[in-house]
């Protein structure tokens, strides 16, 4: 059984642009990069009701370097464009997996249809670090549609698990990753009990997005709660008090320095300064149109 190292509540929320009211459920500058590696940050946006509008809400062009962003939409629709010429539309259950790598400029807005109709938006965005050997990887974009993400029924009708990245009971997620990680999207039924096995030595984080869950028999975790586990051990037990929506993240730690500033996450101060210089020199490319 993996030992629980800490349980954390979410800080107060803030807006990202005018389209994403978020709470940062964890961040490397708050909890320490060593405890979270290879993960850096998780923002939970919404649920928030938006009235119909004429102009799409969101966040305009901004850069990233040195890591990946993973956006999972629970409700609503988003559109994305970046300086590689990629982009696309993601809706309920879809995932946008963007490798910033050597540098990218991108924007994220509510889709035209969602803007016109209004509705409820809920999503999470996860930042995943890249090891030094891959921080200069070409910028890239993966669209993972809900239909292409394996769904696995949990034993005893406890609920369902979607394998976005990594592997669960022989089912492999569609995401390409640079280091071994698991990203599992779970739903648990009221009163359900289940045991999950994760790799020994992995950093393991459990995020409760909705509902109340008892973890390892005694720790009660409510929505917007984060559980950090020790790397030793390979099992954790969950019991849902009601309908629960969870995110289970596990990954092989990256044993390297983490130096971040705003949208850049590198290994040294010098590399951060170089990232700013390269962005200002236009080396990340630009959005067309």
């Amino acid at each position: 059984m993996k030992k629980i190292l800490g349980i954390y509540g979410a800080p107060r929320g803030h807006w990202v642009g005018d389209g994403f009211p978020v709470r940062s459920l964890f961040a490397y500058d708050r909890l320490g990069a060593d405890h979270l590696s290879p993960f850096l940050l998780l923002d939970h946006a919404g649920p928030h009701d938006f009235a119909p509008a004429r102009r799409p809400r969101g966040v305009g062009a901004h850069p990233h370097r040195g890591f990946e962003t993973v956006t999972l939409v629970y409700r609503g629709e988003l559109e994305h464009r970046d300086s590689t010429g990629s982009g696309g539309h993601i809706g309920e259950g879809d995932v946008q997996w963007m490798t910033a790598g050597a540098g990218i400029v991108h924007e994220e807005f509510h889709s035209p249809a969602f803007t016109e109709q209004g509705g409820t938006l809920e999503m999470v965005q996860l930042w995943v670090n890249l090891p030094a050997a891959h921080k200069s990887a070409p910028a890239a974009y993966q669209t993972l549609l809900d239909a292409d993400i394996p769904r696995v029924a949990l034993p005893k009708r406890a609920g369902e698990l979607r394998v976005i990245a990594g592997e669960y009971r022989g089912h492999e997620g569609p995401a390409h990753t640079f280091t071994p990680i698991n990203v599992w999207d779970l739903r648990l039924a009221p009163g359900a009990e289940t045991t999950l096995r994760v790799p020994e030595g992995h950093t393991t984080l459990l995020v409760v997005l909705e509902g109340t869950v008892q973890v390892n028999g005694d720790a009660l975790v409510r929505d917007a709660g984060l559980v950090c586990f020790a790397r030793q051990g390979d099992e954790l037990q969950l019991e849902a008090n009601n309908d629960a929506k969870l995110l289970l993240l596990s990954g092989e730690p990256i044993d390297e320095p983490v130096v971040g500033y705003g949208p850049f996450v590198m290994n040294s101060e010098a590399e951060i300064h170089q990232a700013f210089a390269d962005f200002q020199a236009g080396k990340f490319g630009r959005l067309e149109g």
Side-chain angles (χ1 to χ4, degrees):
M1 189 77 66
K2 279 188 172 289
K3 179 182 178 182
I4 294 174
L5 296 181
I7 300 174
Y8 305 91
R12 295 183 63 181
H14 62 280
W15 282 83
V16 175
D18 63 357
F20 306 106
V22 307
R23 291 181 291 179
S24 295
L25 303 189
F26 66 77
Y28 70 98
D29 57 352
R30 191 171 79 238
L31 296 181
D34 290 346
H35 299 297
L36 300 174
S37 179
F39 308 109
L40 296 166
L41 173 148
L42 183 77
D43 280 347
H44 181 205
H48 186 86
D49 293 328
F50 286 92
R54 295 181 178 179
R55 179 184 62 83
R57 303 176 179 93
V59 59
H62 58 284
H64 291 297
R65 173 181 275 184
F67 63 100
E68 300 185 287
T69 67
V70 181
T71 304
L72 165 57
V73 177
Y74 290 107
R75 287 184 276 179
E77 293 180 341
L78 301 178
E79 285 202 347
H80 158 93
R81 288 195 310 141
D82 65 43
S83 53
T84 71
S86 296
H89 171 104
I90 54 174
E92 184 174 333
D94 299 337
V95 176
Q96 163 195 303
W97 196 296
M98 187 184 77
T99 302
I104 198 168
V105 177
H106 78 136
E107 65 179 20
E108 297 163 294
F109 285 94
H110 300 175
S111 72
F114 183 82
T115 299
E116 182 179 347
Q117 298 169 9
T120 302
L121 177 73
E122 183 182 11
M123 51 164 275
V124 295
Q125 185 171 94
L126 170 70
W127 289 16
V128 180
N129 199 13
L130 289 171
H134 296 297
K135 283 189 179 292
S136 59
Y141 177 79
Q142 301 174 68
T143 300
L144 312 176
L145 299 178
D146 181 38
D148 299 325
I149 298 172
R151 295 175 180 267
V152 185
L154 297 173
K156 299 180 181 179
R157 298 184 178 179
E160 183 180 73
L161 183 153
R162 294 199 311 152
V163 189
I164 295 169
E167 181 270 341
Y168 177 77
R169 294 191 173 184
H171 299 269
E172 294 188 0
H176 165 77
T177 67
F178 286 86
T179 60
I181 67 172
N182 292 304
V183 178
W184 299 341
D185 174 31
L186 293 102
R187 301 292 189 283
L188 296 182
E193 298 182 28
T194 194
T195 298
L196 299 178
R197 295 182 64 90
V198 295
E200 175 85 26
H202 270 208
T203 297
T204 303
L205 309 172
L206 178 72
V207 181
V208 179
L209 297 170
E210 184 179 302
T212 304
V213 178
Q214 196 165 330
V215 182
N216 287 356
D218 55 5
L220 197 64
V221 187
R222 294 179 171 82
D223 57 349
L226 167 72
V227 186
C228 296
F229 296 89
R231 289 174 180 147
Q232 297 76 28
D234 63 0
E235 284 189 351
L236 54 98
Q237 293 180 344
L238 304 175
E239 181 180 351
N241 289 2
N242 41 32
D243 286 310
K245 179 165 62 183
L246 317 171
L247 201 59
L248 190 288
L249 309 172
S250 84
E252 186 177 282
I254 300 171
D255 187 19
E256 296 174 358
V258 175
V259 179
Y261 190 93
F264 308 132
V265 180
M266 305 301 293
N267 298 111
S268 69
E269 293 279 356
E271 290 174 334
I272 294 293
H273 293 310
Q274 188 63 52
F276 275 101
D278 288 348
F279 169 61
Q280 291 165 355
K283 294 183 178 179
F284 289 16
R286 60 181 181 141
L287 293 175
E288 299 294 337

